[in-house]
Amino acid sequence: PYADVRVHVTTFGEPRVGNAAFATFAARHAHRSARVTWRRDIVPHLPPRAFGLYHHAPRELFYEANATRFATCDGSGEDAACADRYDWYEPREHTRYLGVYQSDDDGVPSCTQY
């Protein structure tokens, strides 16, 4: 009944939420999707790949220095040239995307306009 529905999904700092079969399913059923990742944000690396069960859906858009230049990563969902290039991560970087801080150090939201 929903064959004509087009799903568009954009996430920021998304963790791994399913296995490889789920990633394939999500890629097949989302008309357009993107995972935006930022430098050393730790959340996109959780749960760790070493667990062997979790995998990102494809289409990662990675930026490192500013919000004006993105790298469109390969379609694997786990591109070693993008966010997976790092071997250590910074939890505080999860609070800032596209130059906007999502919370102050005390956890109080700093973004008040919606």
Side-chain angles (χ1 to χ4, degrees), residues 5 7 21 23 29 39 58 68 70 72 77 81 89 91-92 97 100 109 113:
V5 174
V7 177
H29 293 284
R39 288 196 333 187
T68 61
F70 286 83
T72 301
Y89 311 106
R92 291 186 62 189
Y97 268 79
V100 176
Q113 289 186 326

Side-chain angles (χ1 to χ4, degrees), residues 32-79:
R32 191 178 328 162
S33 67
R35 267 184 328 104
V36 179
T37 57
W38 153 247
R39 288 196 333 187
R40 295 180 186 273
D41 177 4
I42 192 170
V43 175
H45 304 283
L46 299 173
R49 283 177 54 183
F51 287 6
L53 302 173
Y54 298 93
H55 196 280
H56 278 300
R59 189 102 199 283
E60 176 184 2
L61 300 175
F62 173 74
Y63 71 101
E64 189 165 18
N66 59 49
T68 61
R69 290 185 289 139
F70 286 83
T72 301
C73 309
D74 71 15
S76 71
E78 302 289 348
D79 187 349

